[in-house]
Amino acid sequence: MEYRNFGDSDLKTSVIGFGGWPMGKGHYGSFDEDEVVRAIHAAIDHGITLFDTAAVYGWGEGEKLLGKALKGKRDQVVLVSKGGLTWDEVGGASGRDSSKEHLTRGLEESLTNLQTDYLDLYLIHWPDESRPYSEPMETFAEFQSQGKIRQGGVSNFSPDMMKESLDSFKIVTDQ
């Protein structure tokens, strides 16, 4: 397996990652959870260290399954999750909320679901254009100082949105 730094961070990961979206119940139909756990263990055995998920994948269920699979193996992986989305009910439509309150509640739920006390990388899943990007970035700085995240970043942001975010917090970039 080939490894490299994740963007400009100190996170060294496999170049192949394991995406968690299919583990989100409701998105892809039913599946055998034990088979998914075996697949995650096989991925680790073959050198895959990057595992990506999000709170919205299966409305928390994808994170719970990944957390179950990584029990006793947390120190072998770089764990990434995403927050900042809302949903009214399981299967319901999602909205965007990157307020400090929502991100804090979401991170705590993700940590519980994933059975860990920190994330290697926490991302804003989609931009919340109802507030300045400095608000979630300042929240990320607090998470980092509390040891709850090693790095913070953004997903689905335009270059201008990323530049504005960088004014408040050093997000992971590929520059």
Side-chain angles (χ1 to χ4, degrees):
M1 181 61 64
E2 185 179 335
Y3 300 90
R4 64 175 69 127
N5 280 20
F6 193 98
D8 62 353
S9 78
D10 63 348
L11 302 174
K12 189 169 184 120
T13 70
S14 55
V15 296
I16 298 172
F18 194 105
W21 188 18
M23 288 185 285
K25 295 177 182 174
H27 285 117
Y28 287 103
S30 62
F31 52 83
D32 182 326
E33 288 189 10
D34 291 334
E35 190 174 315
V36 173
V37 170
R38 284 191 299 275
I40 291 167
H41 291 173
I44 293 169
D45 291 345
H46 285 89
I48 293 176
T49 61
L50 178 62
F51 288 81
D52 174 85
T53 190
V56 75
Y57 297 168
W59 310 279
E61 294 301 315
E63 285 183 331
K64 289 177 185 174
L65 184 54
L66 183 57
K68 175 183 170 184
L70 293 177
K71 192 166 188 149
K73 298 179 182 291
R74 174 63 179 95
D75 63 338
Q76 298 175 44
V77 303
V78 172
L79 188 53
V80 180
S81 194
K82 297 175 281 301
L85 293 181
T86 63
W87 58 91
D88 293 330
E89 59 187 62
V90 172
S94 62
R96 300 174 187 184
D97 183 351
S98 62
S99 66
K100 178 178 182 175
E101 297 77 19
H102 182 75
L103 287 175
T104 301
R105 187 171 50 255
L107 176 60
E108 292 301 329
E109 288 174 7
S110 290
L111 293 174
T112 297
N113 289 343
L114 290 161
Q115 301 181 40
T116 188
D117 56 354
Y118 73 97
L119 292 175
D120 295 293
L121 177 60
Y122 192 48
L123 304 171
I124 302 290
H125 206 148
W126 285 91
D128 171 3
E129 297 182 63
S130 72
R131 68 191 76 254
Y133 300 122
S134 60
E135 184 176 338
M137 296 303 107
E138 289 166 4
T139 302
F140 275 11
E142 288 181 33
F143 293 162
Q144 195 173 50
S145 71
Q146 295 165 352
K148 293 182 179 184
I149 66 171
R150 290 180 59 198
Q151 300 287 334
V154 296
S155 176
N156 301 302
F157 275 49
S158 71
D160 286 340
M161 293 171 178
M162 289 189 295
K163 184 175 178 173
E164 185 180 335
S165 297
L166 280 165
D167 289 341
S168 302
F169 181 77
K170 170 112 178 45
I171 58 174
V172 175
T173 65
D174 64 358
Q175 299 178 9

